[in-house]
Amino acid sequence: MKVLVVGSGGREHALCWTLAASPLCHKLFCAPGNAGIAEDAECVAIAAEDIDGLLAFVEEEAIDYVVVGPEAPLVLGLVDRLSAVGVKAFGPSAAAAALEGSKGFTKDLCAKYDIPTAAYARFTEAEAAKAYVRTQGTPIVVKADGLAAGKGVTVAMTEDEALAAIDAALSEGAFGDAGGEVVIEAFLEGEEASFFALVDGDFALPLVTAQDHKRAFDGDQGPNTGGMGAYSPAPVMTEALIEETMARIIRPTVAAMKAEGCPYKGVLYAGLMITADGPQLIEYNVRFGDPECQVVLMRLMSDLLPALIASTDGVLSTFDLRWYEEPALTVVIAAEGYPGSYEKGSVIQGLEEAEGNSDDIKIFHAGTRRGEDGSLLASGGRVLGVTAMAPGIAQAQARAYGAVDKIDWPQGFCRRDIGWRAVAREEE
Ligand code: AMP
Ligand code: GLY
């Protein structure tokens, strides 16, 4: 098959690395890709959001299957457009991508189908939103309705913070169209966990569990980021919690989407809060997590491609995926300054030595490109995802940091404590 992966981050590198190993895939493209992806796929200079450009390329190259990495092209309807010209693709339709594209849509769906999530209200008028905050008290959470690249959520500890977040979204247009409406919801207390399932419209197949670290600095301090590292499995997700999450959240959502006339296909990523009352849905994403995808795919023993196609074709229930028992852990190396402003173009060295000949270490590229002289240059905020697998999580952590320390990139930084919760549990 000729396969096209859409996207350019660490998640897409992990997807390309995995798909390139599939015996079913005889030619792999990635649009637009990055310098690491270029070792597994032929990169084509088409942006992930250039739907017309992607359609033209797919027809010209007679691509058989498209795997969409990020949410934006899904929300823009890439899968619908491909399906209209008879090309199969992994990921939800635009209507089903509303699970990530509109927080209000998801909250209303949860309310209608009794899926556990924080109590909430939706507002387009700042004064009404503020009055609601005053009656509810704090802490309280204010969210822009639409896609805001992870920046649309304010967990407000004080009333002033909540009111400022409402003004930013509804009066000052801080999130553009994404912030024309806000969802205000109750603050949930507990440990966060990510949960992933492949879904084929009817049936949901859980993947191994994974957890990311959203804050920029050690000790889970500092600003929110896309994710500074991840590990799999996530010890917080016990077998009982996995079953409860499937029974109370994932399966009811899949059934609800079907009943609403927009059956969900693709990977469903539930952000959960494990509260005293059990798992509650914080949000849905309609794609793999990044960098969670890197650790999950590191542990996959089965061929990924037929599983993705089974999701598209609605035959997932006949499938089973096999996984390595060993834990995996990814340390993200980001450009100094991320998630704020940062420089691009600095030279990165030492990756070959860091990766060595080990099957248990893999460096996924998130934001890299080749300079004219062939040198490897940083070109994004999150730049590398150093991933290791080992018989225990502490060992995987040591192996990943051992590789990190061989990388020569003075302009980068990473957290030194990725996986600390899981390591502490392993020591217990
Ligand atoms: P989201 O983009 O919806 O995942 O929110 C970003 C982060 O805000 C989450 O990962 C949580 O840490 C936090 N958050 C969102 N909603 C809530 C909530 N209802 N209660 C507590 N924390 C929340
Ligand atoms: N790692 C969080 C995300 O992909 O949204």
Side-chain angles (χ1 to χ4, degrees):
M1 294 178 77
K2 272 184 161 182
V3 179
L4 169 69
V5 171
V6 175
S8 62
R11 167 183 50 215
E12 287 76 24
H13 190 187
L15 285 165
C16 285
W17 176 70
T18 308
L19 292 171
S22 170
L24 297 175
C25 176
H26 76 257
K27 179 75 194 173
L28 184 62
F29 294 95
C30 186
N34 63 38
I37 291 173
E39 289 172 22
D40 295 306
E42 183 176 331
C43 294
V44 284
I46 306 169
E49 288 157 46
D50 177 1
I51 307 297
D52 290 334
L54 291 168
L55 256 291
F57 178 77
V58 161
E59 297 212 282
E60 186 185 301
E61 275 293 338
I63 299 288
D64 299 297
Y65 194 61
V66 179
V67 178
V68 187
E71 64 278 13
L74 295 167
V75 171
L76 290 172
L78 177 57
V79 171
D80 311 68
R81 291 277 304 276
L82 288 167
S83 140
V85 294
V87 178
K88 287 184 188 183
F90 178 74
S93 65
L99 280 177
E100 178 165 357
S102 166
K103 295 191 190 284
F105 170 87
T106 300
K107 297 297 284 191
D108 288 352
L109 190 87
C110 288
K112 184 169 172 188
Y113 293 91
D114 209 15
I115 296 163
T117 188
Y120 74 105
R122 302 174 67 168
F123 298 94
T124 51
E125 298 297 333
E127 282 317 311
K130 290 179 183 178
Y132 181 75
V133 165
R134 291 191 187 102
T135 60
Q136 297 296 308
T138 55
I140 196 158
V141 184
V142 180
K143 301 183 174 186
D145 179 72
L147 292 185
K151 298 188 178 74
V153 175
T154 303
V155 179
M157 291 298 154
T158 65
E159 196 173 292
D160 283 350
E161 278 176 81
L163 301 184
I166 292 168
D167 276 331
L170 294 181
S171 311
E172 293 151 24
F175 308 109
D177 288 348
E181 177 174 341
V182 294
V183 169
I184 301 183
E185 65 177 42
F187 176 78
L188 297 171
E189 266 197 272
E191 185 171 342
E192 276 185 62
S194 310
F195 190 79
F196 300 90
L198 291 183
V199 179
D200 73 355
D202 268 305
F203 180 82
L205 179 68
L207 305 182
V208 287
T209 58
Q211 187 53 47
D212 73 343
H213 290 267
K214 291 211 168 58
R215 302 300 190 100
F217 308 134
D218 284 16
D220 294 318
Q221 302 294 311
N224 256 314
T225 71
M228 293 299 292
Y231 51 96
S232 170
V236 60
M237 290 305 290
T238 59
E239 281 301 319
L241 257 180
I242 292 172
E243 190 34 50
E244 195 180 349
T245 301
M246 288 298 291
R248 296 184 59 199
I249 298 179
I250 304 293
R251 284 188 214 113
T253 300
V254 173
M257 292 297 281
K258 190 176 174 191
E260 294 292 314
C262 45
Y264 188 87
K265 292 182 175 192
V267 60
L268 186 58
Y269 162 178
L272 304 174
M273 190 70 86
I274 311 305
T275 71
D277 303 328
Q280 303 260 332
L281 180 74
I282 299 177
E283 62 159 359
Y284 273 128
N285 294 305
V286 297
R287 48 166 176 90
F288 282 104
D290 184 345
E292 294 97 318
C293 182
Q294 289 82 314
V295 284
V296 166
L297 293 184
M298 191 83 178
R299 296 185 60 209
L300 181 64
M301 193 187 282
S302 305
D303 188 351
L304 178 65
L305 185 52
L308 300 185
I309 297 170
S311 151
T312 306
D313 288 347
V315 296
L316 252 190
S317 63
T318 64
F319 246 81
D320 204 10
L321 290 172
R322 294 185 65 207
W323 304 92
Y324 292 106
E325 286 292 322
E326 285 89 347
L329 183 141
T330 293
V331 178
V332 169
I333 314 185
E336 199 64 64
Y338 173 80
S341 59
Y342 51 83
E343 306 256 312
K344 293 184 183 177
S346 52
V347 178
I348 305 165
Q349 288 178 306
L351 291 202
E352 274 176 26
E353 198 199 341
E355 214 166 63
N357 283 325
S358 169
D359 281 344
D360 295 331
I361 297 176
K362 176 70 197 168
I363 299 174
F364 295 112
H365 293 224
T368 63
R369 65 180 179 84
R370 290 280 165 199
E372 277 171 20
D373 60 356
S375 57
L376 187 67
L377 305 178
S379 67
R382 292 188 292 173
V383 172
L384 299 169
V386 180
T387 305
M389 200 159 73
I393 192 73
Q395 265 175 288
Q397 187 193 50
R399 197 168 275 177
Y401 281 110
V404 165
D405 290 336
K406 290 183 186 141
I407 295 173
D408 177 13
W409 181 37
Q411 293 83 355
F413 80 100
C414 67
R415 283 181 56 163
R416 300 296 313 189
D417 65 345
I418 298 303
W420 65 269
R421 268 204 188 84
V423 171
R425 286 213 176 122
E426 188 175 68
E427 281 165 2
E428 269 168 20

